Amino acid sequence: QVQLAESGGGSVQAGGSLRLSCAASGSIYVSSSCMAWFRQAPGKEREGVARLRGSSGTTEYPDSVKGRFTISKDNAKNTLYLQMNSLKPEDTAMYSCAAGPFCGTPSLDPRWYKTWGQGTQVTVSS
């Protein structure tokens, strides 16, 4: 039973944009869950890049992407998005969405998220 399915990855040049989508299903509802995007590059630790509290819509970002990435949701489509602008080669990674029953602290600690998608690859060339 697929509960989170990402799409929208691809290859872009530095300075370009991509929008990732994460379709939720089953028992996951973006309107009430704690939703987040993570990324992991080869040889590096997984990094949280955006969090959205489903009930309130409040968002958080680390400094590495603040001002460039925007997380959002469409409750009617039960879909989470990540708009990525001004992409840099260091943004290259596998991007995954994740869902949890509540938003904990620190906000992008992977331990709070119980359901994960399989990921979509983003490659940014210089």
Side-chain angles (χ1 to χ4, degrees):
Q1 180 181 358
V2 177
Q3 297 202 77
L4 294 173
E6 301 94 338
S7 61
S11 298
V12 295
Q13 290 191 330
S17 299
L18 281 174
R19 189 177 82 154
L20 306 183
S21 299
C22 172
S25 61
S27 60
I28 305 298
Y29 297 95
V30 299
S31 59
S32 59
S33 300
C34 189
M35 305 297 299
W37 287 96
F38 288 81
R39 68 185 180 186
Q40 189 166 23
K44 295 188 177 181
E45 291 188 0
R46 183 167 50 190
E47 175 191 19
V49 296
R51 188 197 80 174
L52 183 146
R53 188 184 297 267
S55 57
S56 65
T58 55
T59 59
E60 292 186 41
Y61 306 90
D63 289 343
S64 58
V65 306
K66 195 172 293 182
R68 301 189 299 122
F69 289 12
T70 303
I71 188 172
S72 63
K73 63 184 175 75
D74 184 327
N75 290 343
K77 295 182 178 180
N78 204 22
T79 298
L80 183 74
Y81 301 99
L82 184 67
Q83 178 67 43
M84 305 185 294
N85 299 327
S86 302
L87 283 162
K88 305 174 181 180
E90 51 263 43
D91 294 318
T92 295
M94 180 71 76
Y95 285 71
S96 301
C97 62
F102 61 89
C103 288
T105 301
S107 61
L108 290 169
D109 187 330
R111 295 177 297 170
W112 303 124
Y113 303 90
K114 306 305 180 184
T115 305
W116 294 77
Q118 293 197 341
T120 185
Q121 179 67 35
V122 171
T123 303
V124 184
S125 58
S126 58

